[in-house]
Amino acid sequence: MIHTPLLILGLLLVSGLLFGLVASRLKVPRIAAYALAGLLWSQNLLGGYFGFDIASWSPLLTNLALAIIAYTIGGSITFDQLRRLGKTITFCTLGESFGAVILVVVSGSSVADAIVGSGIEIIGAVGMGIVMGGLLAYLGHRVRNKRFFLPMVLSALMLSQGLAEVAHVSPLLTAMCIGFSARAVYQSGGDRLFAPVEFLEELVFIIFFTLAGAYFKLSVLQQGLDLVFIYVIARVAGKMLGIRLMSRLAGVPKVVSQYLGFCVVPQAGIAIGLALSLMQTIAYKDMGLLVVNTILASTLIYEIIGPFATQFALVRAKEVRL
Amino acid sequence: MSQPCFANKTSADWLNQHQSKPVMVDENASIDQIINALLIEDRRDAYVVNADNKVIGHIGFANVATHLLSEHRVTHTHRQLFARVIEPTAKELMDPHFTSAYEDELLCDVIHRQLDHGLDDLIVLSRDTHVPLGAIQLKDVLAESLCLE
């Protein structure tokens, strides 16, 4: 039995890198390739043969990876830019999100039971994110030596993740709010605060998705095959219906409401991250593995059909020509 | 190999001998406008000015080129993806902590700063009014350095 985390992590990284290079060459999504590389080391394949143990040390890495992804997402846009995008994107995003949530929840009562009121958790995370992001932006203005930017951002993220855990607020939302708040307070392209972690993004993706793939367990997936089917259909249907409904309310062009839904089929990091974080929540620990495997299987399906769906929409909307 | 002597020369002295204006763009300029300004002048550094003509930031050629050509790259950062949709302004792309020189600073100190920050054009500001007086072009410094050998 291999318990050496660095050896396991090294093997995951090497396989992820090789699969990713092949995927890049074949022009297929690298995220699915990383997950497949991880799957190779899951309990049903090589991981079981060598007796890999990842559960004891991987949460630390996946949490940090997820925090970095969430931070860069939060910092990708500012208030001003959101305002300029106008009501189309706001309405369509709301429709997409709520449509998917409502249909997925309605389709699976066990998932619905697991959802509890989390208003305080969300408000706490937003508050903590705003404060930490503001402090980070302040430091970004004060510190001149660019070598300190990466440690500065990483320490803010690690500190906030720890505080979020202690305060029982959402670490993911906290990291996202740090990104948004830091960019807003910093008031510029934010290169100092984001470029150093963006440089790490590919490494973060490899670690994150190979680890997620390594959690794959055939027996658990077999138990929840119906759940995968329901989730895949309900999520896409919900997103499409939500977009159609809200785009009509917002009065956006018909071509947008007709085809935008096809463009939001892909699913990756945040969904897997949330599923992994569920495994660390004691109350949901039993269902965590099932959720991870459901999300992982659906991610592979979405990552395969997603690019084709997007291509179909863009061609039909006459945005691109083949 | 002999080294050129810039020890007694100030930025103002340099600008008297090598007249050069920095490329300046309005804070609301689009990526296309910034690239155009840089291409017309054949320069790689643009300085962003606000409505009061005060310099508020710097944008490098590589930064805008990366945003403009991001659709041709295999990977994108989230910021680049959004920038393709949002059409960011110069103010939203610039680095507010730009490097500059004052007219009374010695050239030997200024050159070190310019090299340290990888700038082709270093803006020279008036110490009193912070008004841009010109730019020190690295290629001019290099040319003079070679002539002195």
Side-chain angles (χ1 to χ4, degrees), chain A residues 30 84 141 189 191 198, chain B residues 75 79 82 86 92 94 97:
Chain A
R30 295 186 317 286
R84 285 214 302 278
H141 282 299
D191 266 11
E198 283 166 359
Chain B
T75 56
R79 285 187 304 147
F82 273 97
I86 299 159
E92 289 164 352
M94 70 181 194
H97 298 285

Side-chain angles (χ1 to χ4, degrees), chain B residues 11 98-102 105-119 122-123 127 138:
Chain B
S11 302
F98 63 95
T99 308
S100 62
Y102 290 117
E105 284 187 280
L106 289 173
L107 203 56
C108 52
D109 295 332
V110 170
I111 291 169
H112 166 69
R113 197 178 308 153
Q114 190 164 7
L115 290 171
D116 209 33
H117 289 84
L119 292 168
L122 180 71
I123 194 164
R127 191 175 282 280
L138 197 59

Side-chain angles (χ1 to χ4, degrees), chain A:
Chain A
M1 191 144 180
I2 297 176
H3 290 289
T4 318
L6 284 179
L7 177 62
I8 300 172
L9 187 61
L11 287 169
L12 285 172
L13 279 175
V14 170
S15 348
L17 192 61
L18 290 175
F19 274 59
L21 288 170
V22 172
S24 278
R25 183 61 66 89
L26 298 175
K27 294 188 174 167
V28 295
R30 295 186 317 286
I31 301 301
Y34 298 151
L36 281 174
L39 206 135
L40 192 69
W41 298 100
S42 64
Q43 287 303 307
N44 295 109
L45 296 166
L46 293 173
Y49 181 77
F50 290 111
F52 276 12
D53 168 34
I54 56 166
S56 57
W57 53 268
S58 65
L60 183 73
L61 277 178
T62 50
N63 285 350
L64 182 61
L66 197 63
I68 291 174
I69 295 171
Y71 170 76
T72 55
I73 291 173
S76 53
I77 200 160
T78 64
F79 272 123
D80 262 2
Q81 292 171 337
L82 269 177
R83 204 187 59 236
R84 285 214 302 278
L85 282 171
K87 62 182 180 181
T88 302
I89 196 160
T90 313
F91 271 68
C92 289
T93 306
L94 285 174
E96 174 209 342
S97 316
F98 284 109
V101 169
I102 290 165
L103 271 202
V104 169
V105 168
V106 167
S107 309
S109 59
S110 61
V111 181
D113 294 342
I115 294 177
V116 290
S118 51
I120 296 168
E121 193 177 331
I122 291 171
I123 293 166
V126 171
M128 192 184 289
I130 289 172
V131 173
M132 293 288 285
L135 287 170
L136 186 61
Y138 173 77
L139 280 174
H141 282 299
R142 305 292 295 181
V143 175
R144 292 296 165 99
N145 189 336
K146 60 174 83 168
R147 288 184 181 87
F148 286 115
F149 296 153
L150 181 60
M152 201 169 79
V153 174
L154 286 182
S155 43
L157 283 177
M158 285 184 202
L159 187 64
S160 69
Q161 296 305 287
L163 286 173
E165 208 176 305
V166 172
H168 300 291
V169 300
S170 164
L172 187 70
L173 193 58
T174 305
M176 213 176 272
C177 289
I178 290 176
F180 189 78
S181 156
R183 177 91 188 266
V185 176
Y186 192 75
Q187 287 190 333
S188 78
D191 266 11
R192 285 177 174 223
L193 300 178
F194 293 95
V197 278
E198 283 166 359
F199 187 70
L200 293 178
E201 211 163 50
E202 204 60 31
L203 176 70
V204 168
F205 282 158
I206 298 178
I207 293 175
F208 185 71
F209 289 105
T210 50
L211 276 173
Y215 273 103
F216 178 79
K217 211 167 186 178
L218 190 62
S219 56
V220 177
L221 183 66
Q222 279 169 338
Q223 279 174 30
L225 263 183
D226 51 344
L227 199 61
V228 176
F229 181 74
I230 292 168
Y231 176 75
V232 167
I233 301 288
R235 177 178 169 271
V236 173
K239 277 177 178 276
M240 287 185 173
L241 284 173
I243 283 175
R244 285 216 168 195
L245 183 71
M246 293 303 266
S247 54
R248 272 190 198 167
L249 285 175
V252 303
K254 199 179 172 189
V255 71
V256 176
S257 66
Q258 260 182 327
Y259 298 114
L260 185 60
F262 291 96
C263 300
V264 291
V265 170
Q267 163 194 280
I270 299 297
I272 291 181
L274 285 171
L276 286 172
S277 66
L278 204 63
M279 286 182 69
Q280 296 154 42
T281 311
I282 295 164
Y284 307 123
K285 203 169 183 179
D286 293 338
M287 71 183 305
L289 197 60
L290 175 64
V291 175
V292 168
N293 278 274
T294 304
I295 296 292
L296 194 61
S298 61
T299 298
L300 290 174
I301 295 169
Y302 287 136
E303 284 293 311
I304 291 165
I305 61 170
F308 295 107
T310 306
Q311 188 186 55
F312 167 78
L314 292 175
V315 171
R316 292 299 292 266
K318 297 191 170 71
E319 289 284 334
V320 295
R321 281 184 194 167
L322 284 182

